[in-house]
Amino acid sequence: MGHVLPETGIGRRAFLKTSLLVGGGLLIDVTLPGLATADDGQGGTLGAFIAIAPDGRVTITGKNPEIGQGIKTSLSMIIADELDVDWDQVTVVQAMADQAVYGTQMAGGSQATPTNWMPMRQIGAAARALLVAAAAQRWGVPADSVTTRSGRLLHAASGRSLGYGEIASAAAALPAPDPKTLTLKDPAAFRIIGQPTGGCDSPRVVRGEPIFGIDTRLPNMLYAVLERSPVFGGTLKSANAEAALARPGVKHVVTVKGNGRPESLVDGVAILATNWWLANQARDALQAEWDDGAGAAQSTEAYDAQAKALLDGKPQGENYRAGDVDGALAGAARRISADYAYPFLSHAPLEPQNCTALFQDGKLELWAPTQMPERGRGLVADALGLKPDAITMHMPRIGGGFGRRLMNDYVVQAAAIAQQVPGTPVKLLWSRTEDIQHDFYRPAGWHRFTAGFDADNKPVAFSNHFVTLTKGGKPTSGGEFDFQELPALLVPNLLFAQSGIDSVVPTCPMRAPRSNALAWAFQSFLDEVAVAAGTDLPGLTLGLLGEPRLLPLREGSRTPFHTGRARGVIEKVLAMADWTTKPAAGSAKGFAFYFCHQGYFAEVVEAAVAQDGTVRVPRVWVAGDIGSQVVNPSGALNQVRGSVIDGLGQALGGLAIRLTGGRVEQENFDTYPLPRTPGLPEIEVEFVTTEFPPTGLGEPALPPVIPALCNAIFTATGKRIRQLPIDTAGFKRPA
């Protein structure tokens, strides 16, 4: 039996349009309210989302940016399954950036699956319904007597069959079905969804085909570099453009004027040459002088000193208060307190920032590897004085972003440079040093936790004073507080307070924004609470969760928390890791649980600490709940394992961005080392299936791994890690 789409919800205001494919075949346009743009609140047209050629070949358009998260494959799998074709019949092509046509196009927040799950199913079901109707009309039989399988229409009573391509043109002439009448597949009948599937671009990536933004090549293209102040907020005083122009291969030197918006334009001098190496070599000749401004007074040491002073004082504001936390702490039989701090981090994607731009006849064409193309279009239009519809954007594959490419500064820079040399394609490419020293960073943060216990060692009060970075009195991007942090709503007396340090350092979300830092601080301190209470963190957490139930929506949170789903992944990972069995001497297991981006994840890390203090992670166990379906298990495993490796690299790799005189000290992977294949742990992953809509996987598996690692190190050595990255200097376990 199929699952009939309800009259309300996503199908209520949908609009379908069919047309004839050039050369014969079926083309389907779809407008769905579930894909409304953030600006207009109306449905977004998904364009020629499905094209069925006369030979039966099916082309599906990938609407969202592909950043390595596999969404170009998984969304197409959903459509193909409901269409009832075999995966090897499908070709996936990348859409252009056009929110008016395709609805919201972005890569971020693990939103692609939850927001597109039902629309993609509906698109596939609509196409299948059209083909069934066309076959029934040709055969003169009721539509409900026609079935489908592997791209063919079948009439069991007469033994007749047709390939989709044979009837596609006839289907194009039929009126589109009412979305309310569509019958979706029973999940038990899925043949593509839930099957491990290789990425649709993977063969091209392996062959080295030019599909990434950095690969863009256009006739007569010039390569650009942009020299800018090493201090955030610095402005240009002077530069020797003539000397740079005299260098070999250099064709133009142009000035870019900042507009006070780091995501848009900063002061700089662009050098355009016949190849990137020559342009980069010509930087020295500029001898640029800068006015550093107020940013030159900011440093890592100054931030740390300000944070300590703020933590020692009264919080500037309160985010959330429940019960009488002050009274409960004052009357507690025992209290514990601890400070935690974490540094700025760079996103450091393997593909440096780049964008290719061509400005001619008052119009602009961009090849922009961006996670938010529509925002980029708007920023470019505003900075260059263009109308948005004068800007065409291609969406090449992105070589990593982790939130960095939610910002579009490099897109606006390329456009501003190209506008000054009309008719000449310009490819702006950042160096690795620029990528690290001019990032929009994961902000640093500082916490002071206090917990109070009653005479039975039960936690009765919890407070956190959070010091974050601010601009104009508001937390900088990525430095906001999340009100869903445990133990919110699970202890009777609780206070989340906050203070801020004004900063000029540009920041933005990093993979699992906010959560990547908050999870470590909160889950590490809760491990301290558990030890003080005479239990372990899994026992403490399960006791706090209580019976399975949906908690009220927390202030500042969009997603309610289900204690039963949390309990499910915790119990699963404890069984996977054989939690109560201790590993060999010198090793220990650590646990953490976290809920973010609609995903519930519990993780156990085994840490082995050598006598010299070297920390090795041989094994990690991960249990996750992302709802009723894992669309592509192969891609899901890649996402989870990549998240674990990212987290371990942040903690153990010495990753930290440090500022001196407003300048970033780190320059390349020698001083900002990413994790490498040797020494990576065995990572075991299992999913707990629940009766909830599917959710995303780009973010929620990362946050628990860092506190689980640090909790394991504490168990092995008795040393509590309260500052990241982990400093192993002199870090020795007991003999």
Side-chain angles (χ1 to χ4, degrees):
M1 294 290 292
H3 178 74
V4 179
L5 197 71
E7 292 189 6
T8 59
I10 201 162
R12 186 165 52 88
R13 294 184 290 112
F15 173 73
L16 305 175
K17 178 184 176 183
T18 62
S19 57
L20 190 66
L21 187 66
V22 175
L26 173 64
L27 202 63
I28 296 181
D29 290 353
V30 187
T31 303
L32 293 170
L35 298 174
T37 68
D39 296 328
D40 60 23
Q42 303 301 311
T45 303
L46 296 184
F49 223 92
I50 302 176
I52 302 174
D55 64 359
R57 193 72 196 168
V58 177
T59 300
I60 296 175
T61 301
K63 65 180 282 288
N64 279 15
E66 175 54 62
I67 198 167
Q69 82 281 42
I71 207 66
K72 184 176 176 181
T73 301
S74 60
L75 293 188
S76 301
M77 289 171 64
I78 298 170
I79 295 173
D81 206 327
E82 286 288 355
L83 180 57
D84 210 8
V85 295
D86 293 337
W87 185 243
D88 61 10
Q89 297 173 258
V90 174
T91 298
V92 184
V93 297
Q94 182 65 56
M96 296 286 286
D98 193 339
Q99 197 155 282
V101 173
Y102 293 101
T104 302
Q105 294 175 291
M106 69 165 291
S110 297
Q111 287 298 306
T113 297
T115 58
N116 288 287
W117 166 252
M118 190 57 72
M120 298 304 104
R121 293 187 67 188
Q122 192 173 28
I123 291 166
R128 175 164 44 87
L130 280 168
L131 294 162
V132 166
Q137 187 178 83
R138 177 170 295 186
W139 291 331
V141 300
D144 61 8
S145 68
V146 178
T147 59
T148 59
R149 180 77 175 187
S150 298
R152 296 196 67 81
L153 297 135
L154 311 171
H155 187 244
S158 65
R160 287 176 289 186
S161 71
L162 283 169
Y164 281 3
E166 299 176 71
I167 200 69
S169 295
L174 297 178
D178 184 341
K180 294 179 291 187
T181 67
L182 295 175
T183 300
L184 303 182
K185 276 188 175 181
D186 187 306
F190 287 156
R191 296 189 301 111
I192 297 175
I193 296 170
Q195 297 302 310
T197 304
C200 58
D201 282 342
S202 294
R204 302 181 66 193
V205 172
V206 172
R207 291 193 297 265
E209 293 186 22
I211 62 175
F212 292 90
I214 200 171
D215 298 323
T216 304
R217 301 286 190 277
L218 299 175
N220 303 313
M221 184 174 76
L222 293 180
Y223 294 78
V225 299
L226 180 65
E227 185 76 356
R228 74 208 87 170
S229 172
V231 176
F232 299 113
T235 54
L236 181 66
K237 293 171 64 176
S238 66
N240 192 339
E242 292 78 9
L245 268 171
R247 288 295 184 91
V250 175
K251 299 298 182 183
H252 305 278
V253 176
V254 300
T255 300
V256 175
K257 181 63 178 174
N259 58 13
R261 302 174 63 189
E263 191 190 352
S264 181
L265 290 175
V266 298
D267 272 20
V269 182
I271 302 171
L272 287 71
T274 53
N275 66 52
W276 183 85
W277 178 257
L278 293 175
N280 196 52
Q281 288 294 102
R283 288 178 189 266
D284 293 340
L286 281 174
Q287 298 179 326
E289 293 187 15
W290 307 93
D291 181 347
D292 293 342
Q298 300 196 353
S299 67
T300 297
E301 288 76 12
Y303 286 141
D304 288 340
Q306 290 178 74
K308 185 180 185 306
L310 288 168
L311 289 175
D312 288 341
K314 183 179 179 181
Q316 295 171 352
E318 294 184 0
N319 294 324
Y320 183 84
R321 178 184 284 271
D324 180 12
V325 66
D326 299 319
L329 286 173
R334 186 160 63 104
R335 289 184 293 177
I336 63 171
S337 183
D339 291 356
Y340 282 78
Y342 41 84
F344 289 101
L345 290 179
S346 174
H347 297 80
L350 287 183
E351 180 190 26
Q353 309 314 312
N354 67 90
C355 181
T356 302
L358 173 60
F359 182 82
Q360 56 185 355
D361 302 326
K363 295 184 178 181
L364 181 69
E365 190 169 7
L366 296 167
W367 289 259
T370 168
Q371 293 177 242
M372 294 193 73
E374 198 62 29
R375 179 171 175 79
R377 187 198 306 273
L379 287 167
V380 169
D382 182 64
L384 272 61
L386 299 174
K387 293 183 178 179
D389 59 9
I391 303 170
T392 301
M393 296 186 74
H394 301 265
M395 294 197 304
R397 187 180 174 98
I398 303 169
F402 315 108
R404 173 60 179 94
R405 286 182 163 98
L406 293 170
M407 315 306 286
N408 284 274
D409 50 321
Y410 54 97
V411 178
V412 186
Q413 291 166 9
I417 296 167
Q419 190 182 40
Q420 298 186 60
V421 287
T424 301
V426 175
K427 179 179 181 177
L428 174 67
L429 175 61
W430 290 23
S431 68
R432 182 68 63 196
T433 297
E434 289 178 287
D435 212 36
I436 291 176
Q437 295 190 335
H438 294 278
D439 200 349
F440 284 72
Y441 303 93
R442 194 285 303 274
W446 301 261
H447 295 260
R448 176 164 292 172
F449 294 100
T450 304
F453 302 81
D454 63 17
D456 296 324
N457 263 350
K458 179 181 178 182
V460 293
F462 185 96
S463 72
N464 172 230
H465 183 182
F466 172 38
V467 175
T468 189
L469 300 173
T470 57
K471 185 173 183 179
K474 295 182 179 180
T476 61
S477 178
E480 307 89 351
F481 188 78
D482 197 326
F483 298 92
Q484 68 188 13
E485 297 301 323
L486 292 179
L489 301 188
L490 296 175
V491 296
N493 306 292
L494 182 137
L495 172 63
F496 291 153
Q498 186 169 297
S499 298
I501 300 172
D502 284 338
S503 170
V504 299
V505 179
T507 65
C508 81
M510 177 176 272
R511 189 176 196 175
R514 303 183 305 276
S515 304
N516 53 40
L518 296 177
W520 168 71
F522 273 80
Q523 287 288 297
S524 294
F525 182 69
L526 282 175
D527 194 65
E528 295 197 49
V529 172
V531 171
T535 184
D536 59 14
L537 183 53
L540 175 75
T541 306
L542 290 171
L544 289 172
L545 291 173
E547 294 301 313
R549 65 201 186 281
L550 190 67
L551 295 180
L553 193 66
R554 293 167 171 77
E555 182 182 354
S557 176
R558 298 179 179 179
T559 308
F561 179 81
H562 198 290
T563 62
R565 298 181 73 180
R567 178 176 292 275
V569 295
I570 292 171
E571 292 174 345
K572 181 68 173 179
V573 83
L574 296 181
M576 291 168 61
D578 193 10
W579 174 253
T580 57
T581 300
K582 294 183 178 180
S587 297
K589 297 172 185 173
F591 165 89
F593 161 79
Y594 205 71
F595 167 68
C596 70
H597 299 85
Q598 304 181 60
Y600 297 75
F601 276 82
E603 303 183 17
V604 172
V605 171
E606 180 182 336
V609 185
Q611 289 289 345
D612 65 358
T614 302
V615 178
R616 184 174 59 88
V617 178
R619 279 170 289 275
V620 178
W621 295 268
V622 181
D625 176 356
I626 55 168
S628 59
Q629 295 288 337
V630 177
V631 176
N632 183 0
S634 175
L637 288 175
N638 290 339
Q639 286 293 295
V640 173
R641 288 171 176 158
S643 294
V644 167
I645 293 167
D646 269 359
L648 295 177
Q650 290 172 15
L652 285 174
L655 297 189
I657 292 295
R658 295 185 57 82
L659 278 79
T660 300
R663 293 164 167 82
V664 171
E665 296 177 3
Q666 286 65 36
E667 294 184 351
N668 212 315
F669 290 152
D670 58 338
T671 51
Y672 197 82
L674 299 186
R676 298 175 182 271
T677 300
L680 293 182
E682 295 180 14
I683 304 171
E684 181 180 341
V685 182
E686 294 194 27
F687 292 100
V688 177
T689 302
T690 53
E691 293 300 319
F692 292 86
T695 54
L697 257 179
E699 337 259 358
L702 187 152
V705 72
I706 304 178
L709 166 65
C710 293
N711 294 340
I713 292 173
F714 168 77
T715 302
T717 67
K719 178 179 175 63
R720 189 64 76 174
I721 309 298
R722 296 195 180 103
Q723 183 164 344
L724 291 178
I726 297 171
D727 181 7
T728 60
F731 179 28
K732 298 180 180 181
R733 67 177 176 84

